[in-house]
């Protein structure tokens, strides 16, 4: 058969090419079998991998710590930035107060300075509170004193601030034919200039009238007790209503006293004498008139020993008769 002959020819040629070393083929098989065990992948370097993993973990921890420190340094309420142009992101964070930041103390309401109180509570009558009297004084000064620049104040008036004053009397006022409508009178004084005072008439919560100036106690003819020269509006009604006053009628009386005077009394109508309050160089009296009168109040002054040192009946500067 030609097939078997061909195989024998190939074997002969192989032997002719490699000589008599016919065992070469078997030797190659043995060597290949041995390399199957000796030529294999090297084992994985686990110690090196573990060291590299630990190093990478430490590196990541350092990067994370630095990032947290950077976040802590960003002010609370900072806006997140989105996009390369630095614009604010659509979900901009709402600023929140830091829990560690100290709270600002609550603002204390500032109360505007006002006038000083009278020496006694009996100088505020007819249910008028000090707050109401102070508010009435402020309204009068605002209307007649501080508005001179706009032409609405009294000509040449410079009444200053309410803090410059001391309220010495507050009583109800009775309207008459010359000034209809009831209200209240507030009398306040200033230390400078000496003897300066204002008589403010308040009606319906508004300053409706004001009389200001010195009481005239520095006159050469003034005695140790001196009745205010314009204080008549406090104890009389308009001469238009003479003989027809509205009764009962709340009256008030003010004036100045020298330091030597220890007591002042005021009598008006058929009522008992009223002992006046002495308040920083002023005397202040008030009462109720229940009948029509024609004579002005009668004033007397006494020193510390009780000696009479002043009597308005003997004072030539005092108008004893009502208009």
């Amino acid at each position: 058969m030609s097939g078997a002959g061909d195989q024998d020819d190939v074997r002969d040629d192989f032997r002719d090419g490699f000589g008599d070393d016919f065992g070469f083929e078997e030797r190659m098989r043995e060597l290949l079998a041995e390399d199957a065990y000796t030529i294999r992948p090297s084992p994985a370097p686990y110690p090196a991998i573990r060291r590299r993993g630990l190093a990478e973990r430490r590196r990541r921890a350092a990067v994370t710590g630095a990032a947290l420190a950077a976040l802590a340094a960003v002010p609370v309420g900072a806006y997140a930035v989105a996009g390369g142009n630095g614009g604010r992101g659509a979900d901009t964070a709402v600023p929140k107060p830091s829990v560690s930041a100290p709270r600002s103390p609550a603002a204390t309401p500032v109360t505007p300075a006002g006038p000083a109180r009278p020496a006694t509570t009996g100088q505020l009558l007819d249910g008028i509170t000090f707050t109401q009297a102070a508010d009435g004084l402020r309204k009068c000064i605002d209307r007649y004193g501080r508005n001179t620049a706009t032409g609405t104040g009294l000509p040449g008036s410079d009444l200053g601030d309410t803090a410059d004053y001391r309220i010495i009397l507050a009583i109800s006022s009775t309207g008459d034919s010359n000034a209809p409508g009831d209200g209240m009178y507030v009398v306040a004084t200033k230390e400078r200039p000496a003897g300066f005072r204002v008589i403010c008439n308040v009606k319906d919560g508004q300053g409706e009238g004001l009389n200001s100036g010195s009481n005239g106690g520095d006159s050469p003819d003034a005695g140790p007790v001196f009745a205010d020269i314009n204080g008549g509006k406090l104890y009389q009604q308009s001469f238009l209503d003479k003989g027809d006053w509205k009764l009962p009628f709340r009256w008030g009386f003010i004036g100045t006293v020298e330091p030597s005077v220890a007591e002042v009394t005021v009598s008006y109508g058929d009522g008992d004498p009223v002992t006046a309050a002495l308040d920083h160089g002023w005397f202040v009296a008030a009462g109720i008139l229940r009948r029509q009168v024609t004579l002005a109040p009668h004033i007397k002054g006494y020193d510390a020993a009780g000696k009479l040192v002043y009597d308005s009946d003997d004072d030539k500067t005092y108008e004893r008769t009502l208009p």
Side-chain angles (χ1 to χ4, degrees):
M1 299 178 59
S2 60
D6 292 337
Q7 292 178 356
D8 293 338
D9 293 338
V10 170
R11 184 178 294 112
D12 292 339
D13 293 337
F14 182 83
R15 287 176 177 176
D16 291 340
F18 291 94
D20 294 335
D21 190 6
F22 184 73
F24 175 80
E25 182 177 357
E26 289 79 8
R27 182 59 182 168
M28 287 295 295
R29 290 194 178 100
E30 291 177 359
L31 291 175
L32 291 175
E34 291 176 359
D35 287 342
Y37 296 97
T38 59
I39 304 175
R40 62 181 183 270
S42 301
Y46 291 109
I49 293 174
R50 183 173 183 275
R51 286 193 300 271
R52 184 175 298 175
L54 291 176
E56 180 66 18
R57 188 180 304 171
R58 285 193 295 269
R59 186 187 67 80
R60 291 181 179 180
V63 171
T64 301
L68 292 176
L71 288 175
V74 175
V76 175
Y79 289 97
V81 177
N85 59 357
R88 293 177 180 176
D91 56 345
T92 302
V94 177
K96 296 182 179 179
S98 174
V99 295
S100 61
R103 295 181 178 179
S104 301
T108 303
V110 178
T111 303
R117 291 178 175 271
T120 68
T121 57
Q123 294 165 240
L124 301 176
L125 301 170
D126 306 320
I128 301 171
T129 66
F130 176 73
T131 300
Q132 292 171 331
D135 183 64
L137 175 65
R138 178 184 58 80
K139 289 176 178 177
C140 283
I141 290 178
D142 284 346
R143 179 172 182 180
Y144 296 102
R146 296 190 201 163
N147 298 331
T148 54
T150 61
T152 59
L154 295 175
S157 63
D158 184 11
L159 301 181
D161 297 321
T162 57
D164 301 330
Y165 290 83
R166 175 185 301 277
I167 292 177
I168 63 171
L169 180 65
I171 58 174
S172 60
S173 65
T174 300
D176 54 35
S177 297
N178 186 52
D182 297 340
M184 72 173 176
Y185 280 120
V186 178
V187 182
T189 65
K190 293 174 67 174
E191 293 184 359
R192 295 183 178 83
F196 185 87
R197 59 96 186 98
V198 294
I199 300 175
C200 172
N201 192 204
V202 181
K203 295 181 181 180
D204 298 325
Q206 301 296 325
E208 293 295 332
L210 182 140
N211 179 275
S212 64
S214 173
N215 79 316
D218 56 351
S219 169
D221 297 328
V225 178
F226 193 89
D228 190 281
I229 58 177
N230 287 310
K233 60 177 71 281
L234 298 173
Y235 61 82
Q236 60 187 351
Q237 296 179 33
S238 172
F239 70 92
L240 299 175
D241 299 320
K242 186 175 182 178
D244 191 25
W245 286 6
K246 295 179 181 179
L247 299 172
F249 170 61
R250 165 64 75 184
W251 61 268
F253 202 96
I254 62 171
T256 55
V257 293
E258 293 182 353
S260 60
V261 178
E263 182 181 350
V264 174
T265 63
V266 179
S267 303
Y268 197 27
D270 57 359
D272 294 332
V274 175
T275 300
L278 302 183
D279 193 341
H280 293 75
W282 290 79
F283 73 89
V284 183
I288 298 292
L289 187 66
R290 302 186 184 279
R291 68 174 179 87
Q292 187 69 53
V293 293
T294 58
L295 297 177
H298 184 196
I299 308 102
K300 291 183 179 181
Y302 305 86
D303 63 13
K307 178 183 177 182
L308 180 67
V309 294
Y310 175 82
D311 191 327
S312 61
D313 286 347
D314 301 328
D315 188 348
K316 296 180 180 180
T317 65
Y318 182 69
E319 294 290 339
R320 297 177 61 245
T321 304
L322 294 176

